[in-house]
């Protein structure tokens, strides 16, 4: 997996109909897709099964969120094992919209990561500073250390981290490729301090925040950036296809 670029479509609370879900999936599959790109769709929970049944081998499935408990009396929650049994391979954990709009805490994110890893899914841990020009060293160190607290190196081989500056998400204001690259290197340094630099060198680190068909190539082709987490542009079929093809440029 590490040699492939990774493109994740985060559909958020969209689209509103199953017809539109199928239009997007079939539109992607109708393309000649690069084989050196891992294409992952993260639809709302209610569409996971539909996407799984229609996504072929070319597209992998991710959940946008997961409950932090294993099972039981947690009305409205979805467990990691349910996601695995529905055919997910990945789960986004700690997206800023969940942290800031739904009150998700560092402690919950740590519990969610542990649940996801326990059932054998790959977590995509989202981290990022709230304000432009914010202190990324302080913020990323705190978010990463608290998310990975108590997790052994033997349990995290599937971890992916997405650097997503909050001010760049859904705003049309993307980060600069240079700054995103320095944040990706910083993330590897922080993780390297916990688990060793050799391990951190292989950790996939993605960029997310207003990635578009125009700017995607500038982020994805950076050596230290392993791909992109794409929100609104992933709902525009032609844009998303261009982003996938940009990621496969070196094929
Ligand atoms: C996201 O949802 O993680 C995201 C980066 O959204 P957008 O691409 O719309 O900024």
């Amino acid at each position: 997996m590490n040699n492939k670029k990774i493109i994740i479509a985060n559909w958020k609370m969209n689209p509103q109909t199953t017809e539109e879900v199928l239009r997007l999936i079939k539109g992607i599959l109708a393309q000649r897709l690069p084989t050196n790109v891992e294409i992952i769709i993260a639809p709302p929970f209610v569409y996971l099964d539909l996407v799984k049944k229609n996504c072929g081998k070319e597209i992998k499935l991710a959940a946008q969120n997961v409950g932090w408990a294993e099972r039981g009396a947690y009305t409205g929650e979805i467990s990691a094992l349910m996601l695995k049994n529905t055919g997910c391979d990945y789960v986004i954990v700690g997206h800023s919209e969940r942290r800031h709009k739904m009150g998700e805490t560092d402690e919950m994110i740590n519990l969610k990561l542990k649940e996801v890893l326990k059932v054998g899914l790959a977590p995509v841990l989202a981290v990022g500073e709230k304000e432009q020009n914010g202190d990324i060293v302080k913020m990323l160190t705190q978010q990463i250390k608290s998310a990975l607290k108590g997790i052994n190196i033997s349990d995290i081989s599937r971890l992916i981290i997405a650097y997503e500056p909050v001010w760049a998400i859904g705003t049309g204001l993307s980060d600069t490729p240079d700054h995103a690259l320095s944040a990706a290197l910083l993330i590897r340094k922080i993780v390297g301090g916990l688990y060793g630099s050799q391990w951190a060198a292989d950790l996939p680190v993605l960029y997310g925040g207003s990635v578009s068909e125009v700017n995607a190539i500038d982020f994805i082709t950076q050596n230290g950036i392993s791909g992109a987490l794409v929100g609104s542009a992933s709902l525009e079929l032609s844009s998303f296809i261009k982003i996938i093809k940009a990621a496969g440029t070196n094929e």
Side-chain angles (χ1 to χ4, degrees), residues 10 12 95 97 164 168-171 208-211 229-233:
N10 177 17
K12 313 193 189 208
H95 191 281
E97 286 156 13
E164 295 216 302
I169 297 180
T171 58
S210 297
V211 170
L229 180 45
V230 186
S232 49

Side-chain angles (χ1 to χ4, degrees), residues 93-94 99 105-114 117 125-127 140-151 156 159 161 194-195:
V93 176
R99 291 178 194 259
T105 64
D106 286 335
E107 194 189 358
M108 291 177 197
I109 291 164
N110 176 248
L111 291 172
K112 287 178 182 209
L113 270 184
K114 287 176 176 161
L117 292 165
L125 171 67
V127 295
L140 298 184
T141 306
Q142 186 270 325
Q143 287 178 339
I144 291 170
K145 285 194 171 167
S146 58
L148 296 175
K149 198 169 163 195
I151 301 178
I156 52 162
L159 179 71
I161 295 186
L194 297 172
Y195 300 110

Side-chain angles (χ1 to χ4, degrees), residues 20-239:
E20 180 60 4
V21 170
L22 290 173
R23 189 187 73 82
L24 290 168
I25 298 291
K26 288 181 178 165
I28 298 167
L29 291 175
Q31 302 295 312
R32 194 175 157 273
L33 297 167
T35 55
N36 59 349
V37 180
E38 177 94 329
I39 304 165
I40 303 168
I41 307 271
F45 288 132
V46 289
Y47 301 136
L48 284 171
D49 193 46
L50 180 68
V51 173
K52 182 67 191 173
K53 286 185 174 131
N54 288 278
C55 67
K57 288 201 174 78
E58 295 90 339
I59 298 175
K60 296 282 189 319
L61 192 62
Q64 297 175 13
N65 182 31
V66 61
W68 51 260
E70 184 181 298
R71 63 180 68 229
Y74 298 95
T75 304
E77 291 297 293
I78 309 276
S79 75
L81 188 57
M82 289 175 196
L83 296 176
K84 186 173 185 187
N85 290 339
T86 308
C88 285
D89 294 298
Y90 301 88
V91 184
I92 300 171
V93 176
H95 191 281
S96 66
E97 286 156 13
R98 297 216 55 86
R99 291 178 194 259
H100 302 302
K101 294 183 182 174
M102 316 308 282
E104 217 163 82
T105 64
D106 286 335
E107 194 189 358
M108 291 177 197
I109 291 164
N110 176 248
L111 291 172
K112 287 178 182 209
L113 270 184
K114 287 176 176 161
E115 281 302 310
V116 169
L117 292 165
K118 193 169 79 189
V119 303
L121 293 172
V124 181
L125 171 67
V127 295
E129 76 284 8
K130 216 167 172 187
E131 270 124 40
Q132 197 163 9
N133 305 319
D135 185 345
I136 63 167
V137 178
K138 189 169 164 212
M139 197 68 198
L140 298 184
T141 306
Q142 186 270 325
Q143 287 178 339
I144 291 170
K145 285 194 171 167
S146 58
L148 296 175
K149 198 169 163 195
I151 301 178
N152 296 324
I153 187 164
S154 55
D155 297 324
I156 52 162
S157 58
R158 291 172 303 276
L159 179 71
I160 295 171
I161 295 186
Y163 170 59
E164 295 216 302
V166 180
W167 53 268
I169 297 180
T171 58
L173 289 175
S174 58
D175 200 355
T176 62
D178 280 353
H179 186 264
L181 179 61
S182 57
L185 297 178
L186 172 63
I187 287 170
R188 288 212 175 79
K189 194 170 161 204
I190 298 165
V191 175
L194 297 172
Y195 300 110
S197 52
Q198 188 54 51
W199 190 89
D202 291 336
L203 171 76
V205 180
L206 315 182
Y207 168 73
S210 297
V211 170
S212 69
E213 62 183 70
V214 177
N215 65 23
I217 195 149
D218 300 332
F219 293 104
I220 300 166
T221 52
Q222 302 268 359
N223 250 341
I225 298 181
S226 320
L229 180 45
V230 186
S232 49
S234 70
L235 291 156
E236 293 291 332
L237 186 55
S238 66
S239 298

